[in-house]
Amino acid sequence: AYNNERKEAEKAEKMKGAVFPVVMKIIPQYIFNKKDPIVLGVNVQEGQLRLNTPLCALDPKKTPVSKGGAEPVPIGYVAGIEINKKAVDKAGKGQDVCVKIAPRNDQTHIMFGRHFDASNPISSVISRDSIDCLKEVFKDEMSKDDWKTIIKMKAYFDIE
């Protein structure tokens, strides 16, 4: 019981550093709010969408292999996820959800339609630290597909 308690405490501490991989496609007819907070209907194409995940809009023309292209536009973090008007903590691959994206203080100017649109895939912002954190603490919550998504994203974000 003590070990489980310690593990849970460590997980809660590391949760701040862990960013789960997610790639979403915006559903164009479900744009509810364009600015602060941005509220969109999305389809989770890869990975898992979780609360407090930092998000960015990717350049639809840039593939992981091609260097150059537009940099990903940081658009905020996931403040809420809803499925059929019910709040949930996470959403998996293939689900259509409504996501509320709240900006950080330096992102309050970001606006749907101006900085990104429905053609831009939305992705979590991963880093070397977040990948290491997932390996250490969240192995049991990651599927093989999630790791494949991480590998693709590493190429996109130029992470070694």
Side-chain angles (χ1 to χ4, degrees), residues 6-159:
R6 292 280 306 140
K7 214 174 210 176
E8 286 302 313
E10 184 185 347
K11 231 178 198 181
E13 185 61 40
K14 296 268 188 178
M15 191 64 183
K16 293 176 184 82
V19 176
F20 285 85
V22 66
V23 178
M24 303 175 290
K25 183 166 177 38
I26 298 169
I27 304 169
Q29 62 268 33
Y30 296 113
I31 285 108
F32 303 109
N33 201 11
K34 294 183 178 192
K35 189 177 177 181
D36 200 5
I38 300 165
V39 181
L40 307 168
V42 295
N43 174 269
V44 180
Q45 294 189 311
E46 294 180 45
Q48 43 187 298
L49 178 63
R50 292 184 176 230
L51 289 175
N52 299 319
T53 301
L55 298 175
C56 65
L58 304 177
D59 181 357
K61 292 179 235 25
K62 182 181 176 189
T63 60
V65 183
S66 71
K67 298 289 179 223
E71 283 297 305
V73 178
I75 56 176
Y77 65 93
V78 178
I81 307 167
E82 285 189 8
I83 300 174
N84 296 332
K85 297 183 181 162
K86 291 190 177 55
V88 293
D89 290 338
K90 63 180 180 179
K93 183 177 179 177
Q95 288 184 298
D96 288 342
V97 298
C98 179
V99 64
K100 177 180 175 185
I101 304 168
R104 289 196 321 260
N105 290 341
D106 60 337
Q107 297 168 331
T108 51
H109 67 285
I110 300 292
M111 184 174 168
F112 178 86
R114 182 173 296 161
H115 299 94
F116 68 102
D117 58 30
S119 70
N120 296 77
I122 304 290
S123 155
S124 53
V125 180
I126 62 167
S127 64
R128 180 78 257 165
D129 292 342
S130 67
I131 295 169
D132 291 342
C133 189
L134 289 173
K135 282 181 187 172
E136 274 177 49
V137 188
F138 297 99
K139 261 192 199 138
D140 53 336
E141 293 183 38
M142 295 281 287
S143 69
K144 273 194 164 63
D145 288 342
D146 291 341
W147 288 115
K148 287 177 184 168
T149 304
I150 286 271
I151 290 164
K152 283 188 219 164
M153 292 170 79
K154 276 172 64 173
Y156 191 94
F157 288 109
D158 292 329
I159 297 170

